[in-house]
Amino acid sequence: MTELEYVQDTLPAHFRTLLRRLPPLGAWPSDEEGDLTNLAHYYRLRAIAGFLETGETTPYLADLHRAGQTRLYYLRGCEQGATGTPRFWRTSRNRAFFDCLAINDLETAEELARLCDERWVDALEYEDDFLFPQFLQRFFLELRAPRPTGTLPALLARFARVIGEEGSPFHSLCLALHAGHTDRFESSLEAIVQRRAGNYARAAHFNDLPPLILHTERYIDVQAVAIIRLAQESGLALSRLEYPRVPGELCELARSRQTFPPLHSWRVLTTP
């Protein structure tokens, strides 16, 4: 059995389990197991697997949209006090923000960023792992706001204090976005993509990650596609749209007008 065959054979059982546990529309499951957060992630994994298998972008786009709508439903429940725990509400679990940027669904990405819990949960994550997506979300909201709020310099200063003298391509990328520095942005993104590729290679060697992740996200970096789209939205004139694990075709897709599946299609088990 190939890696993709394993993913395609395994994911449906996860979908069936989580979808069966869903309460009716307008109600939310308990957040102890993170059902909605996990369901959104499985849609991303299926999107990647489908693209890797066929090269078709329509199922990829549809499943990333379902990931975004799943997460949005969850965050609306958090806002109402109907669900939500620090483990799953937190910023670093808001992967679907990037899923939506990667398919040019900017309206949903904006709402996901606005509804996300902005607190750092020190018992669950390193502070720099929180600050990177937090800055990107705030940067995007600043682009969408009629008037800038001036919060970004404070986030950058906090990020610098956390990493100290070691330096970080994640911090450098945030600085480049804020300053509108194209060359620094592209070199920082290259370093991030290469670092992640190395991390996945080590994880594969030591079997440190679940096979569903190793067989999908190891090969396609959706967050990097989204970051490129974010840079373009900010006005950076990028000279390259393709990196290792970041197909140029998907970056072009992220700039195109799209047609999405029905809003509640995430609640029904479909074929990719």
Side-chain angles (χ1 to χ4, degrees):
M1 178 181 290
T2 68
E3 291 181 348
L4 285 178
E5 287 172 342
Y6 171 84
V7 173
Q8 302 290 24
D9 283 352
T10 304
L11 274 177
H14 290 288
F15 278 114
R16 283 192 294 271
T17 297
L18 295 178
L19 290 172
R20 273 199 301 263
R21 294 207 296 244
L22 277 181
L25 193 64
W28 284 264
S30 166
D31 202 29
E32 294 306 310
E33 299 298 326
D35 281 4
L36 290 172
T37 299
N38 292 330
L39 181 60
H41 193 201
Y42 288 141
Y43 275 123
R44 175 194 278 197
L45 300 185
R46 193 172 76 166
I48 293 171
F51 178 76
L52 289 171
E53 183 175 31
T54 68
E56 296 181 8
T57 57
T58 300
Y60 163 90
L61 182 148
D63 274 342
L64 288 188
H65 183 259
R66 292 182 182 107
Q69 293 304 310
T70 305
R71 180 69 177 179
L72 181 57
Y73 185 79
Y74 168 72
L75 291 182
R76 286 172 176 167
C78 294
E79 184 183 38
Q80 297 174 30
T83 190
T85 62
R87 178 174 296 277
F88 298 108
W89 189 354
R90 58 196 166 104
T91 298
S92 55
R93 288 297 186 101
N94 208 27
R95 304 180 192 92
F97 165 73
F98 297 104
D99 296 337
C100 290
L101 285 182
I103 56 172
N104 205 29
D105 185 359
L106 304 187
E107 290 75 19
T108 303
E110 181 176 356
E111 191 168 0
L112 289 172
R114 291 192 188 282
L115 292 176
C116 189
D117 185 355
E118 296 186 334
R119 291 172 296 176
W120 169 46
V121 187
D122 59 350
L124 299 174
E125 59 193 345
Y126 293 113
E127 191 171 1
D128 53 335
D129 289 340
F130 157 78
L131 286 168
F132 183 59
Q134 173 68 2
F135 177 87
L136 296 177
Q137 289 188 167
R138 295 306 311 175
F139 181 81
F140 178 67
L141 290 176
E142 292 283 295
L143 294 178
R144 308 281 287 181
R147 299 184 187 87
T149 63
T151 61
L152 297 179
L155 272 176
L156 289 171
R158 178 181 173 185
F159 207 156
R161 288 194 300 272
V162 169
I163 62 173
E165 297 181 357
E166 293 183 7
S168 159
F170 301 96
H171 180 245
S172 296
L173 185 140
C174 294
L175 286 172
L177 274 176
H178 189 243
H181 196 296
T182 301
D183 290 344
R184 185 184 299 169
F185 170 86
E186 291 182 334
S187 62
S188 299
L189 184 58
E190 172 78 29
I192 289 171
V193 170
Q194 295 288 5
R195 176 180 291 192
R196 286 179 176 161
N199 290 342
Y200 276 115
R202 283 189 292 275
H205 179 74
F206 293 107
N207 199 27
D208 282 344
L209 283 173
L212 283 176
I213 294 176
L214 281 176
H215 300 340
T216 52
E217 295 197 89
R218 180 184 177 188
Y219 301 111
I220 299 288
D221 191 335
V222 173
Q223 188 187 75
V225 174
I227 290 171
I228 290 170
R229 180 67 185 91
L230 180 58
Q232 293 168 326
E233 185 71 6
S234 75
L236 286 186
L238 303 180
S239 62
R240 60 182 295 192
L241 294 179
E242 189 155 349
Y243 296 80
R245 303 174 52 249
V246 187
E249 180 182 1
L250 297 184
C251 294
E252 292 293 344
L253 179 77
R255 299 185 64 185
S256 307
R257 183 181 297 275
Q258 306 296 348
T259 300
F260 301 122
L263 291 181
H264 298 301
S265 70
W266 62 271
R267 298 180 64 90
V268 180
L269 183 59
T270 62
T271 55

